[in-house]
Amino acid sequence: MRYSIKSGAIEKVAADCLVVPVWGKSALSTEASHLEKVSDKALGVVIKSGDFSGKLGETSLLYKTSGVSARRILLVGLGERKKLNARAAAKMLEATAKAVAKTQSESAHYAMASVEITDRDTTWLAARVAQELEDACYRYDTTKSQKVTKPALKSLSITAPAGARRKGLEDVLKQGQAIGKAINRAKQLGNLPGNVCTPTFLANEAQVLAAKNKSIATQILSEKQMARLGMGSLLSVAAGSAEEAKLIVLNYQGANSSSRPYVLVGKGITFDTGGISLKQPAAMDEMKFDMCGAASVVATMGCVAELKLPINVIGIVAAAENMPGSKATKPGDIVTSMSGKTIEILNTDAEGRLVLCDALTYAERFKPRTIIDIATLTGAAVAAFGSQANVMLSNDDKLAQTLVQCGEESLDRAWQLPLWDEYQSLLNSNFADIANIGGPRAGTITAACFLSRFTEKQKWAHLDIAGSAWQSGAQKGATGRPVGMLMQYLMTQKA
Ligand code: BES
Ligand code: MN
Ligand code: ZN
């Protein structure tokens, strides 16, 4: 998609679709009342019909309007002025993007310069326009023999709000577009089936990314190399699978090489059967999404490089397939992690923490400023929060606060759970330093407690995205979360 800024009279814009906002209860926006005048009351006709009243996210199409160059006008409802905060505006922009994408328009112009968002500045809307549009134009058809028709839209322009600098607007459009595209990349990786998106496939994806971006270097560790490093925990997860595990390292350099990096670690279980502690068959297909943490890391790294952020960032993906097999790890088996700590594997379905702990130990060598792991780790996170929250736990209050704030800013929300010491004893083992499960209660917290044993020296946060990363049901599919939140975090950090 091409993005631009157009000035001049909106009725003269030669776009296939001209998007014009209307406030709730049919109160015409500045742009709408201007069009009403030049079009001989074309909008009034629609409004008087009662079919459209400007409710938030409501849309209505008008064709061949006299006095207007655009082929279509799309009226969009903004709802109540006082209630148009960022969250409402994003909903409105999503509905707008979907409505535009449904038409055959190849070009669209958003005439929304007068729209004020209660809790954001003027450039925010432009960035979000681009992000929502990219997001809404995503279609999955990779593994369908009948390709779906993609939205025809190729270019989008906006009217600059009064006082906004052109360069600033161009920058935020680019930013919103990059984030939207990264969200789509994460969705795409998540949606691919487990027989396509294997650890090797993910490693390949990382290599492609590095080939396309000079600022990214990549290193792929084989099982042999991991064995030499003593990653007995990560390797125990892959033991029952014919697919080779990979530790994928993406190294983005946007600052001086001496500048300590921000490190992201993603859970990349390309399919989670549960292993010998086999899962129930119902909805097991959804365990192809168990690499959505990894997908968010790969997509975020690509976005960071595209936006040339002036910091250093390292993305690590712990990729493996969790299968039962004659060589699979059995309940009661004890493995030694790279940290030297021994782990009693009481449930092979608690595999995410087993791959993450070795990746977290490996990350220490980069002397991270902060380290954030992203993982579809526990069903308990889904039970507690549904799809709304990225569930966050941290050993550093400041980092936790920053992440919650970044969640609010990006509308990709996080909510913190406690990491109190009192929970740690649930992981006691009679036979090893630590057990990999903490019983049926407080599952999201005990999973994080397990990880905390491997990040004692780091400023670390854990994002359990089991609920937020994909949707179940008829609209089943990956959501691309928490790319928005991770980008918000990295865009506001310094070298
Ligand atoms: N990938 C799952 C977590 C999951 C389950 C995400 C359901 C989304 C929906 C993870 O590997 C897992 O199986 N976790 C277990 C841990 C338990 C055995 C301690 C869980 O949550 O049931
Ligand atoms: Mn599992
Ligand atoms: Zn899993």
Side-chain angles (χ1 to χ4, degrees), residues 185 189 200-220 248-250 298 302 305:
R185 182 194 280 266
L189 286 173
T200 303
F201 182 95
L202 282 178
N204 218 40
E205 195 72 8
Q207 269 158 342
V208 169
L209 199 64
K212 283 193 184 142
N213 293 281
K214 285 206 185 75
S215 54
I216 296 182
T218 183
Q219 197 190 356
I220 315 288
I248 304 163
V249 184
L250 288 155
V298 172

Side-chain angles (χ1 to χ4, degrees), residues 94-148:
E94 184 187 348
T96 306
K98 283 185 175 156
V100 174
K102 225 172 152 181
T103 69
Q104 293 302 313
S105 304
E106 291 186 9
S107 59
H109 182 84
Y110 280 45
M112 293 189 176
S114 73
V115 176
E116 278 175 24
I117 312 300
T118 58
D119 53 355
R120 294 288 191 280
D121 67 13
T122 46
T123 57
W124 178 86
L125 192 74
R128 198 75 191 192
V129 162
Q131 182 181 325
E132 293 294 343
L133 203 69
E134 295 293 335
D135 199 339
C137 287
Y138 171 80
R139 300 285 181 279
Y140 180 87
D141 65 5
T142 316
T143 45
K144 292 187 178 190
S145 62
Q146 297 288 321
K147 295 300 162 197
V148 299

Side-chain angles (χ1 to χ4, degrees), residues 267 269 272 274 277 279 286-287 290 322 347-353 376-382 436-439 443 446 464-467 470:
K267 171 179 174 182
I269 299 298
D272 180 14
S277 315
K279 286 187 180 294
E286 294 187 3
M287 285 301 129
D290 214 14
N322 188 21
N347 189 321
T348 63
D349 198 10
E351 84 297 337
R353 61 199 80 180
T376 48
L377 208 62
T378 63
V382 193
N436 82 324
I437 54 167
T446 54
D464 192 331
I465 58 164
W470 80 85

Side-chain angles (χ1 to χ4, degrees), residues 188-435:
Q188 176 65 12
L189 286 173
N191 288 337
L192 287 171
N195 61 335
V196 173
C197 185
T198 59
T200 303
F201 182 95
L202 282 178
N204 218 40
E205 195 72 8
Q207 269 158 342
V208 169
L209 199 64
K212 283 193 184 142
N213 293 281
K214 285 206 185 75
S215 54
I216 296 182
T218 183
Q219 197 190 356
I220 315 288
L221 303 194
S222 64
E223 287 191 354
K224 214 166 156 189
Q225 287 167 303
M226 288 190 266
R228 261 188 241 125
L229 288 165
M231 294 188 171
S233 182
L234 191 157
L235 291 171
S236 76
V237 174
S241 171
E243 294 291 342
E244 199 194 359
K246 303 280 180 192
L247 190 80
I248 304 163
V249 184
L250 288 155
N251 190 331
Y252 166 78
Q253 198 183 334
N256 207 290
S257 55
S258 62
S259 170
R260 290 170 62 198
Y262 297 88
V263 176
L264 305 176
V265 178
K267 171 179 174 182
I269 299 298
T270 57
F271 196 83
D272 180 14
T273 64
I276 297 299
S277 315
L278 195 63
K279 286 187 180 294
Q280 294 297 322
M284 206 210 270
D285 65 290
E286 294 187 3
M287 285 301 129
K288 72 173 182 177
F289 294 121
D290 214 14
M291 37 56 70
C292 282
S296 75
V297 170
V298 172
T300 299
M301 293 304 290
C303 194
V304 162
E306 184 172 344
L307 294 177
K308 302 191 170 65
L309 297 191
I311 51 173
N312 292 332
V313 188
I314 292 184
I316 302 175
V317 167
E321 188 183 61
N322 188 21
M323 295 283 279
S326 66
K327 293 201 172 150
T329 299
K330 306 167 292 298
D333 283 2
I334 293 175
V335 297
T336 304
S337 66
M338 184 180 174
S339 71
K341 288 187 175 147
T342 59
I343 303 165
E344 184 183 17
I345 300 177
L346 291 171
N347 189 321
T348 63
D349 198 10
E351 84 297 337
R353 61 199 80 180
L354 295 174
V355 296
L356 288 171
C357 69
D358 279 342
L360 288 166
T361 301
Y362 183 80
E364 276 178 21
R365 66 182 56 204
F366 300 112
K367 305 200 168 32
R369 243 170 241 263
T370 63
I371 177 162
I372 302 172
D373 77 74
I374 306 107
T376 48
L377 208 62
T378 63
V382 193
F385 291 93
S387 60
Q388 295 303 319
N390 302 309
V391 187
M392 187 260 301
L393 298 98
S394 176
N395 63 9
D396 186 90
D397 288 340
K398 190 164 162 263
L399 176 59
Q401 244 178 18
T402 306
L403 288 174
V404 169
Q405 205 184 328
C406 289
E408 292 300 324
E409 282 292 322
S410 60
L411 310 176
D412 186 356
R413 279 171 166 161
W415 198 257
Q416 187 177 11
L417 288 183
L419 197 65
W420 294 324
D421 281 343
E422 284 74 5
Y423 289 105
Q424 292 283 354
S425 59
L426 291 168
L427 296 170
N428 288 351
S429 159
N430 290 349
F431 305 108
D433 298 342
I434 181 175

